[in-house]
């Protein structure tokens, strides 16, 4: 989290200096780090402090580059949503829409953990299922396409072939992915459907 403390003001400073791409890269990295922390209850209070810092910093960017500001507001809104701060999340998402921003992709709000099929666990098979998701204008998953399935039995991840287990992993991954929720992609502040959002769902045997 110390790195987040450095990245957030650096992101705003770069944007104000005109280097929007670098500013957004810093901001995205800060939120990737925060995303690993907000689900840890023992560190949630500290993570919230950094979310509030980002909120304060973004308050100075209302007149900035619309897409950059809108994307940051959407990311911050999603982060507040993930820790249950729904009023603040709604405020930020509303501000993002008012900037008439265009975002590059839907913003994840809620993910469901996939259940490792018992048959595959009994066979000691790990797996990864890569999917391409379609997201509608309301942020719901409308389509799920299977891109790739990789299964392995040991730490060397040597590929294994088991058609029955493959089907079970695909079914479990698809079921979980359909429960995901997103903030929809924006074009000029309007919600639009998106295709081909890639995600990978892992099934690993612990120990």
């Amino acid at each position: 989290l110390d790195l987040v403390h450095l990245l957030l003001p650096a992101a705003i400073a770069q944007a104000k200096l005109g280097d929007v791409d670098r500013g957004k890269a810093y901001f995205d990295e800060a939120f990737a780090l925060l995303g690993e922390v907000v689900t840890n209850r023992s560190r949630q209070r500290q993570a919230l402090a950094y979310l509030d810092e980002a909120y304060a910093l973004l308050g100075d960017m209302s007149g900035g580059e619309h897409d950059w500001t809108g994307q940051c507001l959407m990311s911050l809104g999603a982060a507040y949503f993930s820790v249950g701060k729904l009023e603040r999340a709604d405020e930020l998402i509303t501000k993002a829409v008012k900037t008439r921003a265009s975002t590059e992709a839907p913003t994840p709000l809620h993910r469901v953990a996939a259940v490792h099929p018992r048959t595959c666990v009994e066979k000691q098979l790990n797996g990864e299922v890569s999917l391409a998701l379609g997201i509608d204008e309301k942020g719901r998953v409308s389509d799920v396409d299977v891109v790739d399935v990789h299964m392995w039995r040991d730490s060397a991840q040597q590929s294994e072939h088991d058609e029955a287990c493959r089907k079970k992993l695909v079914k479990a991954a698809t079921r979980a992915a359909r429960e995901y929720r997103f903030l929809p992609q924006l074009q000029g502040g309007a919600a639009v459907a998106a295709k081909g959002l890639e995600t990978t769902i892992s099934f690993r045997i612990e120990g």
Side-chain angles (χ1 to χ4, degrees):
L1 284 174
D2 289 340
L3 183 56
V4 173
H5 184 69
L6 296 173
L7 286 168
L8 287 172
I12 303 299
Q14 289 294 331
K16 287 184 173 180
L17 289 170
D19 194 343
V20 173
D21 289 342
R22 180 170 292 183
K24 187 174 185 304
Y26 287 167
F27 196 87
D28 288 346
E29 186 171 349
F31 270 84
L33 292 169
L34 276 172
E36 298 173 5
V37 176
V38 293
T39 55
N40 185 333
R41 292 197 173 188
S42 66
R43 305 187 71 186
Q44 232 177 52
R45 181 174 296 181
Q46 191 177 5
L48 272 170
Y50 287 112
L51 290 179
D52 290 340
E53 179 184 343
Y55 175 82
L57 288 167
L58 280 175
D60 297 331
M61 293 296 295
S62 58
E65 199 267 354
H66 286 181
D67 283 352
W68 189 91
T69 305
Q71 289 166 21
C72 291
L73 288 168
M74 290 286 274
S75 295
L76 188 55
Y80 272 111
F81 183 94
S82 70
V83 293
K85 301 296 183 181
L86 304 185
E87 187 173 332
R88 178 62 60 84
D90 185 62
E91 173 196 344
L92 289 161
I93 293 163
T94 300
K95 283 184 177 180
V97 172
K98 286 182 178 178
T99 66
R100 300 187 62 79
S102 295
T103 56
E104 296 174 357
T107 305
L109 276 182
H110 174 67
R111 295 181 185 272
V112 173
V115 178
H116 199 156
R118 185 174 62 181
T119 303
C120 302
V121 174
E122 291 172 350
K123 293 180 178 180
Q124 293 293 299
L125 281 171
N126 303 283
E128 287 184 344
V129 180
S130 297
L131 305 170
L133 308 180
I135 312 298
D136 68 16
E137 296 90 341
K138 294 184 178 180
R140 297 173 301 196
V141 176
S142 55
D143 300 294
V144 180
D145 293 319
V146 179
V147 177
D148 187 42
V149 180
H150 174 53
M151 295 184 297
W152 69 93
R153 184 167 274 114
D154 54 28
S155 58
Q157 294 198 15
Q158 183 175 351
S159 294
E160 294 281 345
H161 300 283
D162 184 311
E163 187 59 25
C165 234
R166 180 187 185 280
K167 289 180 178 178
K168 288 182 180 294
L169 291 177
V170 167
K171 184 177 180 179
T174 300
R175 181 185 294 119
R178 287 197 177 277
E179 297 298 317
Y180 287 8
R181 291 295 181 267
F182 296 81
L183 294 176
Q185 184 171 344
L186 296 180
Q187 286 186 0
V192 296
K195 295 285 187 181
L197 185 69
E198 293 189 4
T199 188
T200 298
I201 296 179
S202 297
F203 300 86
R204 297 176 185 270
I205 298 171
E206 301 296 333

